Amino acid sequence: TVIAEIAATYADSGRFAAALSLADSIPRSENRAQIFYEIAVRYAKSKLFDEALSTTEMIEDKTYRVLAFTEIADEMSEDNHDARATPLLFKSLQIALTITDREYKDIALSAIADKFINRGRYIEAVDIAQKMDNIKDTESKLLAIAHKYIEAGNIPEAFKIAHRIKGESNGSILSEIARKYAELGQVNESIKIISSMDTLSQALVY
């Protein structure tokens, strides 16, 4: 919204008091939540983490509060404050799980999962992805994690994740894993995966 943009402009120029005053003058609504979110993120980018956190606590909308916390956690990590960032992500997860609207809950969980993926914390990311209500969103997240394992050369873990993907992406990720095993000279493992794919295809046909 226009008001959110003005508040963000104030915050970008370091006029946080003016930005907060503007946000506080707006009736309780999603717009108000968005404005406080923008201010909190600007505080975090300025490395004013305590102010960012206190501003986030003023956000009544849980989805925006989670999104703000995840962005603050990112800025903390970039500033070598992982000891504060990781607990903040877990706090975000607790809040996200209390969101009653399934769509907004998944938006919040997706944001948190992405931050764990970016940190290489794939076990936590998998757990969060499986808490999402939309199966397609869950499998999309699992697919991203499987690719990260492949990039890291951890093919067995990628294979485990692939087995949790039941949709159309299952075949493509298994094919990729089979090719990777072949590239590594582990032909027997590659053949096993290809055989399992053929068996599955036959089962689906019959």
Side-chain angles (χ1 to χ4, degrees):
T1 65
V2 174
I3 297 177
E5 290 175 3
I6 294 171
T9 300
Y10 279 144
D12 283 335
S13 61
R15 299 172 64 188
F16 290 107
L20 286 170
S21 178
L22 180 60
D24 215 26
S25 68
I26 299 171
R28 283 172 173 76
S29 66
E30 184 177 309
N31 289 345
R32 178 184 168 95
Q34 181 190 356
I35 294 169
F36 277 116
Y37 162 82
E38 297 288 353
I39 297 169
V41 171
R42 267 41 175 214
Y43 265 132
K45 290 183 181 298
S46 298
K47 311 305 177 188
L48 298 169
F49 299 124
D50 290 336
E51 290 85 348
L53 292 172
S54 62
T55 301
T56 302
E57 294 293 353
M58 298 167 71
I59 302 174
E60 295 184 3
D61 182 278
K62 291 181 180 179
T63 305
Y64 269 110
R65 198 185 316 158
V66 167
L67 295 178
F69 277 142
T70 59
E71 292 303 317
I72 294 168
D74 250 6
E75 294 297 330
M76 285 178 170
S77 291
E78 288 183 12
D79 203 44
N80 297 315
H81 288 286
D82 277 325
R84 296 185 72 184
T86 302
L88 189 57
L89 288 177
F90 282 113
K91 178 177 180 177
S92 300
L93 177 58
Q94 292 174 347
I95 296 169
L97 292 174
T98 66
I99 297 173
T100 54
D101 183 288
R102 290 186 174 187
E103 181 181 354
Y104 287 118
K105 175 185 171 185
D106 280 359
I107 289 172
L109 290 174
S110 177
I112 300 166
D114 284 341
K115 301 306 180 186
F116 276 111
I117 291 173
N118 293 342
R119 286 167 171 72
R121 303 276 295 260
Y122 303 134
I123 293 174
E124 290 92 341
V126 168
D127 180 62
I128 294 167
Q130 292 183 318
K131 288 177 167 55
M132 298 169 70
D133 287 311
N134 188 304
I135 294 175
K136 287 187 177 180
D137 289 343
T138 295
E139 297 201 338
S140 174
K141 207 65 66 179
L142 292 177
L143 186 63
I145 296 167
H147 279 124
K148 288 292 184 181
Y149 272 126
I150 292 172
E151 290 172 11
N154 193 339
I155 313 305
E157 285 301 322
F159 187 54
K160 288 179 185 177
I161 299 298
H163 274 295
R164 302 188 189 202
I165 301 172
K166 306 300 181 185
E168 296 177 359
S169 299
N170 177 266
S172 64
I173 191 65
L174 285 176
S175 295
E176 192 171 339
I177 292 170
R179 283 195 298 271
K180 194 66 178 180
Y181 269 130
E183 289 173 7
L184 295 171
Q186 298 182 40
V187 180
N188 289 338
E189 293 298 329
S190 180
I191 292 172
K192 283 180 187 177
I193 293 173
I194 294 171
S195 298
S196 70
M197 290 170 64
D198 289 340
T199 302
L200 178 61
S201 295
Q202 291 172 11
L204 290 173
V205 169
Y206 294 106

